[in-house]
Amino acid sequence: MNPFSVQHIKRTQDITGLSTEDGAKYIAGGTNLIDLMKLQVETPPQLINLSQWEDEQSITENDDHFRIGAMVTNTALANYAYHKPSLSLLSQALLSGATVQLRNRATTGGNLLQRTRCYYFYDTTKACNKRQPGSGCTALTSMNRIHAILGTSNDCIATHPSDMAVAMMALDAQVELTSKTGEVRNIPLRDFYCVPSSTPHIENVLKYDEVITAVIIPKQRHGTQYYRKVRDRSSYAFALVSVGAGLVLKNDTIEKLTLAFGGVGTKPWYPASAIKVLTGATFSDDVLDLAIDAELADSKVYGSNNFKPDLLRNTFKSVLNSLYEHQRESGDHEGALYEN
């Protein structure tokens, strides 16, 4: 590893006026950055250690929203969300990801900013525009089974790996950002991530002098909720396809649909086209097909991942039908379809 210096942050006010070197990186739980440093994918000259950041290690709520500090661990957030019916989708998503040990260390802010698990991004002998802009994308013409089919470009087809971000996107979360000048701005998570286009190394709208301080999730009714993750093995694997959904029915009419996809997009995917088709529609197998057709209209496959459109279609329909059947049998319900 290259030599680096370390600064420590204990309070949010310490960020104001913080002096950093070019290429400095924030480190929270370290579950992603340390691996990248060991592989020489990341070589920061300076680390800003957030592990002692006291101000953002708690979850609070008021009448309107939940506020989740950036340093809240995935374990603590999963446990908290488990007891909040409107956040069931978030708990299910978190508990489907990583190992217990990693969830104990991984943080809310760090999870949102983790890098792709594309094999070629991690292999410094391969061309990767995300790692080295302008070098090319090996994934386009090589094994690309885990790669994206939505939001791709000729420069990058890597997927975002987070389960938590998929649930948060479905739940209409906002990201609270604080700059070194003390300025605070809130960005909808749906607008936070960037598709790769010709600049895949620019992954989000975070400014150079900003840090994530919290995630804000509005208190809303999401009905029966289900996070389904399809992967190569039953645990400790990234999603090939995931669907997070919440359904509120009035008779057979879809009154409200909460929905997001993982494993298929270059960012956690908010399926606006599918939601538009379904909201207010009478629930049926035909309308589900129309919805997923609309979302997949701009999808593109690259060889090894040709199976993903069908896998997404089948998973989406299975999740929505399970929610529908549960609502029909159990009536109005807020919370998990199955126990976490």
Short mmCIF file of all heavy atoms in Angstrom, two decimals, residues 4 7 19 30 46 54 56 61 73 86 111 137 144 156 158 161 166 203 207 210 255 257 266 270-272 320:
data_model
loop_
_atom_site.label_atom_id
_atom_site.label_comp_id
_atom_site.label_asym_id
_atom_site.label_seq_id
_atom_site.Cartn_x
_atom_site.Cartn_y
_atom_site.Cartn_z
N PHE A 4 0.10 6.97 3.45
CA PHE A 4 -0.97 7.96 3.51
C PHE A 4 -1.04 8.53 4.92
O PHE A 4 -0.62 7.90 5.89
CB PHE A 4 -2.33 7.35 3.12
CG PHE A 4 -2.73 6.15 3.94
CD1 PHE A 4 -3.44 6.30 5.13
CD2 PHE A 4 -2.39 4.87 3.52
CE1 PHE A 4 -3.80 5.21 5.89
CE2 PHE A 4 -2.75 3.75 4.27
CZ PHE A 4 -3.47 3.92 5.46
N GLN A 7 -6.53 11.99 9.09
CA GLN A 7 -7.15 12.98 9.97
C GLN A 7 -8.42 12.37 10.55
O GLN A 7 -9.05 11.53 9.92
CB GLN A 7 -7.51 14.25 9.18
CG GLN A 7 -6.33 15.14 8.84
CD GLN A 7 -6.76 16.54 8.47
OE1 GLN A 7 -7.55 17.17 9.15
NE2 GLN A 7 -6.23 17.03 7.35
N SER A 19 -8.92 20.85 6.05
CA SER A 19 -7.87 20.94 5.04
C SER A 19 -7.54 19.54 4.54
O SER A 19 -7.13 18.68 5.32
CB SER A 19 -6.62 21.59 5.62
OG SER A 19 -5.57 21.61 4.68
N GLY A 30 -15.01 1.20 6.30
CA GLY A 30 -13.84 0.66 5.62
C GLY A 30 -14.08 -0.64 4.88
O GLY A 30 -13.14 -1.23 4.34
N GLN A 46 -4.38 10.64 1.59
CA GLN A 46 -4.88 11.03 2.90
C GLN A 46 -6.24 10.39 3.13
O GLN A 46 -7.07 10.30 2.23
CB GLN A 46 -5.01 12.55 2.97
CG GLN A 46 -5.48 13.09 4.32
CD GLN A 46 -5.67 14.60 4.28
OE1 GLN A 46 -6.21 15.14 3.32
NE2 GLN A 46 -5.21 15.29 5.32
N GLU A 54 -19.26 11.52 16.20
CA GLU A 54 -20.29 11.32 17.22
C GLU A 54 -21.68 11.82 16.80
O GLU A 54 -22.69 11.25 17.20
CB GLU A 54 -19.87 12.04 18.52
CG GLU A 54 -18.55 11.54 19.09
CD GLU A 54 -18.02 12.44 20.19
OE1 GLU A 54 -18.60 13.53 20.39
OE2 GLU A 54 -17.02 12.06 20.84
N GLU A 56 -23.38 11.79 14.05
CA GLU A 56 -24.18 11.10 13.05
C GLU A 56 -24.25 9.60 13.26
O GLU A 56 -24.25 8.82 12.32
CB GLU A 56 -23.66 11.43 11.65
CG GLU A 56 -23.68 12.92 11.31
CD GLU A 56 -25.09 13.53 11.33
OE1 GLU A 56 -26.08 12.77 11.39
OE2 GLU A 56 -25.20 14.77 11.32
N GLU A 61 -36.55 10.47 14.75
CA GLU A 61 -37.77 10.60 13.96
C GLU A 61 -38.66 11.68 14.54
O GLU A 61 -38.61 11.98 15.74
CB GLU A 61 -38.52 9.28 13.88
CG GLU A 61 -39.07 8.76 15.20
CD GLU A 61 -39.92 7.50 15.03
OE1 GLU A 61 -41.05 7.62 14.51
OE2 GLU A 61 -39.45 6.42 15.41
N THR A 73 -24.72 2.06 11.60
CA THR A 73 -24.30 0.82 10.93
C THR A 73 -25.49 0.15 10.26
O THR A 73 -26.66 0.37 10.63
CB THR A 73 -23.66 -0.16 11.91
OG1 THR A 73 -24.65 -0.61 12.84
CG2 THR A 73 -22.49 0.47 12.65
N SER A 86 -43.51 0.75 8.26
CA SER A 86 -43.36 1.48 7.00
C SER A 86 -41.95 1.38 6.43
O SER A 86 -41.72 1.73 5.27
CB SER A 86 -43.74 2.95 7.18
OG SER A 86 -42.84 3.61 8.04
N ASN A 111 -22.37 2.80 2.58
CA ASN A 111 -23.11 1.87 1.72
C ASN A 111 -23.58 2.57 0.45
O ASN A 111 -23.47 2.03 -0.65
CB ASN A 111 -24.30 1.30 2.50
CG ASN A 111 -25.03 0.22 1.73
OD1 ASN A 111 -25.57 0.45 0.66
ND2 ASN A 111 -25.07 -0.98 2.30
N CYS A 137 -13.55 -0.19 -21.88
CA CYS A 137 -14.39 -1.02 -20.99
C CYS A 137 -14.28 -2.47 -21.43
O CYS A 137 -14.86 -2.88 -22.44
CB CYS A 137 -15.85 -0.55 -21.05
SG CYS A 137 -16.98 -1.58 -20.07
N ASN A 144 -19.76 -10.77 -18.99
CA ASN A 144 -20.49 -9.65 -18.38
C ASN A 144 -21.80 -10.10 -17.75
O ASN A 144 -22.78 -9.39 -17.76
CB ASN A 144 -20.73 -8.54 -19.40
CG ASN A 144 -21.25 -9.09 -20.73
OD1 ASN A 144 -22.10 -9.98 -20.76
ND2 ASN A 144 -20.73 -8.56 -21.83
N CYS A 156 -19.49 2.15 -20.16
CA CYS A 156 -19.60 1.44 -18.88
C CYS A 156 -20.93 0.70 -18.78
O CYS A 156 -21.99 1.25 -19.12
CB CYS A 156 -19.47 2.41 -17.71
SG CYS A 156 -19.43 1.61 -16.09
N ALA A 158 -21.28 -1.34 -15.74
CA ALA A 158 -21.17 -1.87 -14.37
C ALA A 158 -22.43 -1.56 -13.56
O ALA A 158 -23.05 -0.52 -13.74
CB ALA A 158 -19.96 -1.27 -13.67
N PRO A 161 -23.91 -2.06 -6.51
CA PRO A 161 -24.16 -3.30 -5.77
C PRO A 161 -25.08 -3.19 -4.56
O PRO A 161 -25.43 -4.21 -3.95
CB PRO A 161 -22.76 -3.71 -5.32
CG PRO A 161 -22.07 -2.40 -5.10
CD PRO A 161 -22.60 -1.47 -6.16
N VAL A 166 -31.39 0.40 -3.00
CA VAL A 166 -32.59 0.03 -3.75
C VAL A 166 -33.83 0.29 -2.90
O VAL A 166 -34.79 0.92 -3.35
CB VAL A 166 -32.53 -1.44 -4.20
CG1 VAL A 166 -33.84 -1.87 -4.86
CG2 VAL A 166 -31.36 -1.66 -5.16
N GLU A 203 -19.92 9.29 -10.51
CA GLU A 203 -20.96 8.34 -10.11
C GLU A 203 -22.15 8.99 -9.42
O GLU A 203 -23.21 8.38 -9.31
CB GLU A 203 -20.35 7.27 -9.21
CG GLU A 203 -19.27 6.46 -9.92
CD GLU A 203 -18.64 5.41 -9.05
OE1 GLU A 203 -18.81 5.48 -7.81
OE2 GLU A 203 -17.98 4.51 -9.60
N LYS A 207 -20.50 16.98 -4.41
CA LYS A 207 -19.44 17.92 -4.76
C LYS A 207 -18.15 17.56 -4.02
O LYS A 207 -18.17 16.85 -3.01
CB LYS A 207 -19.87 19.35 -4.42
CG LYS A 207 -21.08 19.84 -5.22
CD LYS A 207 -21.49 21.24 -4.80
CE LYS A 207 -22.71 21.72 -5.57
NZ LYS A 207 -23.16 23.07 -5.13
N GLU A 210 -18.13 18.08 -0.21
CA GLU A 210 -19.30 17.64 0.54
C GLU A 210 -19.12 16.24 1.10
O GLU A 210 -18.36 15.42 0.57
CB GLU A 210 -20.54 17.64 -0.36
CG GLU A 210 -21.07 19.02 -0.73
CD GLU A 210 -22.29 18.95 -1.61
OE1 GLU A 210 -22.35 18.06 -2.49
OE2 GLU A 210 -23.20 19.78 -1.44
N GLU A 255 -53.66 1.51 -5.73
CA GLU A 255 -53.75 2.87 -5.21
C GLU A 255 -52.37 3.50 -5.06
O GLU A 255 -52.16 4.68 -5.34
CB GLU A 255 -54.48 2.86 -3.87
CG GLU A 255 -54.86 4.23 -3.36
CD GLU A 255 -55.75 4.13 -2.13
OE1 GLU A 255 -55.22 3.80 -1.04
OE2 GLU A 255 -56.96 4.37 -2.25
N LEU A 257 -47.99 2.31 -5.45
CA LEU A 257 -46.96 1.32 -5.70
C LEU A 257 -45.60 1.90 -5.33
O LEU A 257 -45.22 2.97 -5.82
CB LEU A 257 -46.96 0.91 -7.18
CG LEU A 257 -45.90 -0.13 -7.58
CD1 LEU A 257 -46.15 -1.47 -6.89
CD2 LEU A 257 -45.87 -0.30 -9.09
N THR A 266 -27.11 0.62 -13.90
CA THR A 266 -25.82 1.23 -13.56
C THR A 266 -25.91 2.06 -12.30
O THR A 266 -24.90 2.54 -11.79
CB THR A 266 -25.33 2.10 -14.73
OG1 THR A 266 -26.36 3.02 -15.09
CG2 THR A 266 -24.97 1.24 -15.93
N TYR A 270 -34.79 3.23 -10.33
CA TYR A 270 -36.17 3.64 -10.05
C TYR A 270 -36.97 3.49 -11.34
O TYR A 270 -36.76 4.24 -12.30
CB TYR A 270 -36.21 5.09 -9.58
CG TYR A 270 -37.61 5.58 -9.27
CD1 TYR A 270 -38.32 5.04 -8.21
CD2 TYR A 270 -38.21 6.57 -10.06
CE1 TYR A 270 -39.61 5.48 -7.93
CE2 TYR A 270 -39.50 7.00 -9.78
CZ TYR A 270 -40.19 6.46 -8.72
OH TYR A 270 -41.47 6.88 -8.44
N PRO A 271 -37.90 2.53 -11.40
CA PRO A 271 -38.61 2.21 -12.64
C PRO A 271 -39.82 3.13 -12.88
O PRO A 271 -40.98 2.72 -12.74
CB PRO A 271 -39.04 0.76 -12.44
CG PRO A 271 -39.22 0.63 -10.96
CD PRO A 271 -38.22 1.58 -10.32
N ALA A 272 -39.55 4.35 -13.25
CA ALA A 272 -40.62 5.36 -13.40
C ALA A 272 -41.64 4.94 -14.44
O ALA A 272 -42.85 5.18 -14.27
CB ALA A 272 -40.00 6.70 -13.76
N LEU A 320 -44.92 -8.89 -7.34
CA LEU A 320 -46.19 -8.16 -7.35
C LEU A 320 -47.37 -9.09 -7.16
O LEU A 320 -48.33 -8.76 -6.44
CB LEU A 320 -46.33 -7.38 -8.66
CG LEU A 320 -45.83 -5.93 -8.65
CD1 LEU A 320 -46.71 -5.07 -7.75
CD2 LEU A 320 -44.39 -5.81 -8.22
#
